[in-house]
Amino acid sequence: MDRTKKLWITLGVVLVGTFTLLGVFGREVYRQAPPIPDRVVTESGAQLMSKDQILRGQRVWQSMGGQQVGSIWGHGAYQAPDWSADWLHREAVALLGVYARARYGSSFADLTVEQQAGLRARLRRELRANRYDATTGTLTVSDARAEAMATTAAHYDALFSGDASMADLRESYALHDDAVPEASERRDMTSFFFWTSWACTTERPGLAVTYTNNWPHEELVGNQPTSANLIWSFISIVFLIAGVGALVWYKAFRDRDEAPPDPAAVDPLSQIELTPSMRAAGKYAAVVIGLFVLQVLTGALTAHYTVEGHAFFGVPIAEWLPYAVTRTWHVQLAVFWIATAFLAAGLFLAPAVGGREPKYQRLGVNVLFVALIVVVLGSLSGEWLSVKRHLGLDIGFWFGHQGYEYVDLGRAWQIALFAGLILWLVLMLRGLWPALTRRDNTRQLVLLFAGSAAAIGLFYGAGFFYGAKTHLSVMEYWRWWVVHLWVEGFMEVFATAAMAFIFSRLGLIRVSSATTAVLFSTAIFLVGGIPGTFHHLYFSGTPTSIMAVGASFSALEVVPLALIGYEAWDTYKASRGAAWMTAYRWPVRFFLGVAFWNLVGAGIFGFLINPPIALYYMQGLNTTPVHAHTALFGVYGLLALGLILLVLRRLLPNGEWKDRPIRFAFWAMNGGLALMVLVSLLPIGLAQAAASIDQGLWYARSDAFLQQPIMENLRWLRVIGDTVFMAGVGVLVWFVVGLKTGWSLVSKEVARDSRGVIVVGMGPATRSGARPGLRSA
């Protein structure tokens, strides 16, 4: 059995085994999710809330922005509090006050140490006790707790209304006035907040651990890391070390890479005839750059809201574009422009790989383009309308805001986007079909390319397995299928296959080597990446088994990243073997940047928060956007831009690119990203982690902590990195526009020096990009 066949079998075993694991333990997510009581009543018989009110409150929270306004169970935005942790602390403090007044006729703060200790012990017993009756669906709380719940609910009722007494706190949270103007909706949303907090502090039947595995850290109620948390953290580190060691051993002693082929005399890609559909895909490049610019601008505005709350250097822009809208757009646009770049690369490469233009392919490319524009504009408009409360709960879910990060767009737009992805998949397979039927040495590589395209087209559909009223734990399970498996998983497989084809076509690597490399790297990545999805669900109302699987396998995700830079550097060195390769030096350097950020952003910063014990204290803190920015832009962003530059290089082949602007754009974006993280986000995240360890998550996310002068100064320092990054983006836009107008191109001029020897110099390109006439002395 040859090596390639063994790798195909290995990949098949990995896919079957890991998806079986994901499905089997996914069943446990359904089975052991925290119960939503049919009614919550007091010991004296008064009903406080019903299941319908809790679920309606969940929908209210979704419609106002959901995870883009604070977070629940650590998932969401980082400026406002985590509402589950915040409610828990506020209710606990309020209940201690009720106890103190009832027993001692005094405030809790005025009691002796001994008296306070007694009341704290009583608090823990009451809040950790599970008083839910599964047979009747009834949750019973004490009258004292009901009083504390009412006090806590009153705080949120004022906060989410236009109450003037809460104006300063809303500004600290970057929460717009009248976020939920209807009183009944605010009441139901506080019921939802209570239930999420109840799951955080109530122990599972027969166990001494809460539904959220004792998350968040809260000393008042005895929430501390479990023994399982620590054990599986240690095991994950051992797996990481063992995995890296095994990969290094394999690379050193077993891997026998073929020598790179001799470079071709002329550019192989220049021999590919540009078809009408390939030219039609060029407009996607313009959309990618436009959406990228819009995403960067909304990101800068969102970051600025963290220091001014409602204004941009004094201009009250939040009246029109509140934080919930700009952060929604910033996150959603990232998915849109990166996915569009992958669509463009696929549509451009498909006819080139297949060797012919399918009938009506150009029409399909143009129809998909129009559909893409409609989905982008429609979803962004719907999200604004939902947050501004112009849509009801039902219409809002379908055409407005679903409330969940990365899948914020309304369900109707989500369906339309999925239909577009299916159309893209059909166009891809039509273009690739001739190559799939040919019995040559490229067939297996094309099959990998087609398979990864199918995964991108189909796996987005996982987002349809939950609805507006789906249990939060179940929703998180399926949402991370989209975010982790679709965005972080199969998009990376598609990119790997696409680059392998490109590099093999350029003659940098042999087709056989490219095929085995893609098979090997895909199997290694997915063996950790698929069950590693569970590392997002440690504290989302899931059992300990989810933590065990997630911690063990997600540690292996870092393993292939340890050597990816080595492979990228080898490819980069090979790219300098032919003079014509200078035309591709910048797309290749963008791919080299991907390798760097894959190790740093996805690997180092990802593993920083990956072990259960680390995430226990850091979930929902600014250590998460450190990983998100460096992995999403550093890996997928640079990869998308590299693919677009490669497409533009072939669509506009005349003239040589000016080196200086693209070099500045590349280094400014990478340098700005590094400054953004190292000067601002990472110090803030580490300071929050210390506060979370010392006092609890509620304090690390509170206005009392985040509005300290040193924290505000650190947020202001982000301007340095943002400015450098935006300068790079501006120059990139100038450069891309100049590829069409001609100002980003240089042309060769022939002249004779003083000795009569012919020399070649560089002169400005004509506006059309064609070379000016030769000039001789």
Side-chain angles (χ1 to χ4, degrees):
M1 185 182 298
D2 62 24
R3 185 186 182 195
T4 303
K5 187 173 182 179
K6 290 179 181 178
L7 287 173
W8 275 108
I9 293 174
T10 300
L11 179 58
V13 170
V14 165
L15 289 172
V16 172
T18 53
F19 273 111
T20 299
L21 202 63
L22 196 63
V24 168
F25 285 94
R27 177 178 177 273
E28 293 303 297
V29 174
Y30 277 83
R31 196 173 68 86
Q32 300 194 48
I36 303 176
D38 292 331
R39 54 192 173 276
V40 180
V41 300
T42 66
E43 290 174 335
S44 57
Q47 179 166 311
L48 302 179
M49 64 189 72
S50 65
K51 182 176 183 177
D52 288 341
Q53 286 179 295
I54 294 171
L55 290 176
R56 183 171 183 259
Q58 177 177 316
R59 297 173 66 199
V60 173
W61 166 73
Q62 293 168 343
S63 67
M64 72 158 188
Q67 291 179 335
Q68 306 296 355
V69 184
S71 59
I72 295 288
W73 293 346
H75 293 156
Y78 312 102
Q79 182 63 11
D82 180 272
W83 305 115
S84 44
D86 193 64
W87 177 290
L88 175 56
H89 183 75
R90 291 181 183 277
E91 182 190 345
V93 171
L95 187 51
L96 287 174
V98 173
Y99 289 160
R101 289 190 298 274
R103 184 167 182 178
Y104 299 107
S106 177
S107 67
F108 181 78
D110 292 334
L111 301 182
T112 66
V113 173
E114 290 77 11
Q115 290 171 331
Q116 289 182 346
L119 295 186
R120 285 196 184 98
R122 179 184 173 186
L123 174 76
R124 292 185 183 186
R125 288 194 302 271
E126 175 156 357
L127 294 190
R128 295 187 71 87
N130 194 331
R131 304 181 69 183
Y132 170 72
D133 187 342
T135 58
T136 63
T138 301
L139 170 62
T140 304
V141 299
S142 68
D143 292 335
R145 184 173 186 180
E147 183 180 343
M149 290 165 57
T151 301
T152 308
H155 166 81
Y156 291 111
D157 182 75
L159 179 65
F160 288 96
S161 69
D163 192 319
S165 66
M166 291 286 184
D168 289 343
L169 189 57
R170 281 195 291 271
E171 182 176 357
S172 297
Y173 292 166
L175 177 66
H176 53 289
D177 293 339
D178 279 319
V180 184
E182 187 177 329
S184 66
E185 290 187 345
R186 293 197 300 272
R187 178 202 63 207
D188 292 344
M189 189 170 69
T190 60
S191 298
F192 171 66
F193 286 173
F194 162 76
W195 173 77
T196 65
S197 172
W198 174 82
C200 291
T201 190
T202 302
E203 295 180 352
R204 290 181 179 274
L207 299 175
V209 59
T210 72
Y211 285 106
T212 57
N213 290 307
N214 283 3
W215 187 93
H217 178 219
E218 175 59 76
E219 290 291 342
L220 285 178
V221 299
N223 270 8
Q224 295 178 334
T226 63
S227 58
N229 185 302
L230 293 168
I231 289 170
W232 289 109
S233 296
F234 299 150
I235 291 175
S236 72
I237 295 171
V238 171
F239 277 15
L240 172 62
I241 296 171
V244 172
L247 193 59
V248 171
W249 180 88
Y250 177 86
K251 189 69 180 176
F253 299 106
R254 299 287 304 205
D255 195 17
R256 295 292 182 264
D257 290 332
E258 296 175 316
D262 294 329
V266 295
D267 177 5
L269 292 185
S270 67
Q271 310 303 308
I272 297 175
E273 180 182 355
L274 293 177
T275 67
S277 72
M278 293 169 72
R279 294 185 185 278
K283 64 175 72 72
Y284 286 73
V287 170
V288 168
I289 299 300
L291 294 179
F292 177 39
V293 171
L294 185 58
Q295 193 240 346
V296 170
L297 292 176
T298 55
L301 182 56
T302 302
H304 193 83
Y305 281 152
T306 65
V307 291
E308 279 199 73
H310 297 151
F312 183 74
F313 293 105
V315 180
I317 196 170
E319 294 179 13
W320 303 280
L321 292 176
Y323 177 93
V325 169
T326 61
R327 192 177 189 276
T328 297
W329 286 357
H330 179 61
V331 171
Q332 199 65 61
L333 284 166
V335 175
F336 280 149
W337 76 262
I338 292 172
T340 302
F342 284 15
L343 299 186
L347 294 172
F348 183 84
L349 289 173
V353 176
R356 68 174 178 83
E357 174 87 339
K359 192 175 182 180
Y360 303 121
Q361 185 80 351
R362 180 175 179 273
L363 175 62
V365 171
N366 289 331
V367 169
L368 179 60
F369 179 79
V370 173
L372 175 67
I373 297 299
V374 171
V375 168
V376 170
L377 296 180
S379 64
L380 296 181
S381 300
E383 287 155 355
W384 183 86
L385 289 169
S386 184
V387 172
K388 296 294 285 183
R389 315 304 294 170
H390 296 306
L391 302 175
L393 298 183
D394 293 327
I395 295 177
F397 178 80
W398 281 93
F399 295 97
H401 206 306
Q402 286 193 47
Y404 301 124
E405 266 189 315
Y406 296 101
V407 283
D408 305 87
L409 70 172
R411 179 54 56 89
W413 305 117
Q414 190 180 17
I415 293 172
L417 178 57
F418 182 68
L421 289 171
I422 297 300
L423 174 58
W424 173 76
L425 177 58
V426 171
L427 294 172
M428 286 284 296
L429 294 178
R430 292 177 78 241
L432 295 172
W433 187 252
L436 289 170
T437 57
R438 286 196 297 266
R439 298 284 180 174
D440 58 18
N441 64 339
T442 65
R443 185 168 180 263
Q444 294 191 64
L445 185 57
V446 175
L447 184 60
L448 282 168
F449 188 41
S452 60
I456 288 180
L458 298 175
F459 268 86
Y460 186 73
F464 300 132
F465 284 91
Y466 64 85
K469 296 181 181 181
T470 298
H471 191 290
L472 195 61
S473 299
V474 173
M475 180 285 303
E476 287 288 7
Y477 172 70
W478 290 113
R479 181 174 77 92
W480 286 109
W481 271 62
V482 176
V483 180
H484 189 88
L485 287 181
W486 187 64
V487 177
E488 299 181 40
F490 289 104
M491 275 192 179
E492 181 154 335
V493 174
F494 173 81
T496 302
M499 286 192 293
F501 169 78
I502 292 167
F503 289 149
S504 64
R505 194 62 186 259
L506 287 172
L508 301 179
I509 53 177
R510 300 182 190 276
V511 173
S512 58
S513 296
T515 302
T516 56
V518 174
L519 281 168
F520 181 73
S521 61
T522 299
I524 290 294
F525 179 76
L526 293 182
V527 75
I530 292 175
T533 303
F534 284 138
H535 82 255
H536 298 284
L537 303 176
Y538 293 158
F539 312 116
S540 298
T542 56
T544 302
S545 58
I546 298 298
M547 183 186 298
V549 175
S552 300
F553 283 90
S554 64
L556 299 177
E557 290 183 74
V558 184
V559 171
L561 306 181
L563 291 179
I564 198 168
Y566 171 82
E567 302 288 352
W569 181 249
D570 269 1
T571 303
Y572 177 69
K573 288 190 296 183
S575 72
R576 298 184 293 181
W580 53 264
M581 268 304 303
T582 57
Y584 302 103
R585 62 182 176 271
W586 281 109
V588 171
R589 287 180 185 176
F590 271 78
F591 298 149
L592 193 63
V594 170
F596 171 80
W597 288 112
N598 228 333
L599 177 60
V600 175
I604 296 173
F605 290 141
F607 196 73
L608 172 69
I609 60 175
N610 195 40
I613 189 60
L615 202 58
Y616 180 82
Y617 292 110
M618 294 184 187
Q619 180 152 298
L621 306 184
N622 275 272
T623 46
T624 301
V626 167
H627 165 58
H629 282 79
T630 52
L632 189 57
F633 177 77
V635 178
Y636 295 102
L638 287 180
L639 177 59
L641 294 176
L643 290 172
I644 289 300
L645 289 173
L646 184 71
V647 170
L648 291 174
R649 178 71 271 183
R650 296 314 318 146
L651 287 176
L652 303 169
N654 294 327
E656 183 177 347
W657 288 0
K658 288 182 179 179
D659 198 61
R660 183 174 298 176
I662 190 66
R663 179 192 293 116
F664 176 85
F666 175 80
W667 288 111
M669 287 189 293
N670 281 278
L673 177 61
L675 288 171
M676 181 195 312
V677 168
L678 297 177
V679 174
S680 181
L681 287 176
L682 186 58
I684 292 173
L686 294 177
Q688 283 185 297
S692 177
I693 293 169
D694 290 340
Q695 298 193 49
L697 178 71
W698 70 271
Y699 179 67
R701 288 283 297 273
S702 69
D703 62 305
F705 180 80
L706 287 176
Q707 300 307 318
Q708 295 177 89
I710 187 172
M711 291 293 104
E712 289 206 341
N713 290 338
L714 285 172
R715 289 201 297 275
W716 272 112
L717 285 175
R718 180 170 167 174
V719 172
I720 300 172
D722 285 1
T723 302
V724 173
F725 186 90
M726 293 177 70
V729 173
V731 173
L732 177 67
V733 173
W734 183 89
F735 175 81
V736 170
V737 173
L739 293 178
K740 186 68 174 177
T741 62
W743 64 55
S744 295
L745 304 174
V746 294
S747 61
K748 295 181 179 180
E749 297 179 345
V750 177
R752 296 181 183 273
D753 64 11
S754 58
R755 296 170 296 174
V757 178
I758 294 178
V759 296
V760 178
M762 306 307 293
T766 62
R767 181 173 178 80
S768 64
R771 296 177 179 179
L774 296 182
R775 176 170 57 84
S776 60

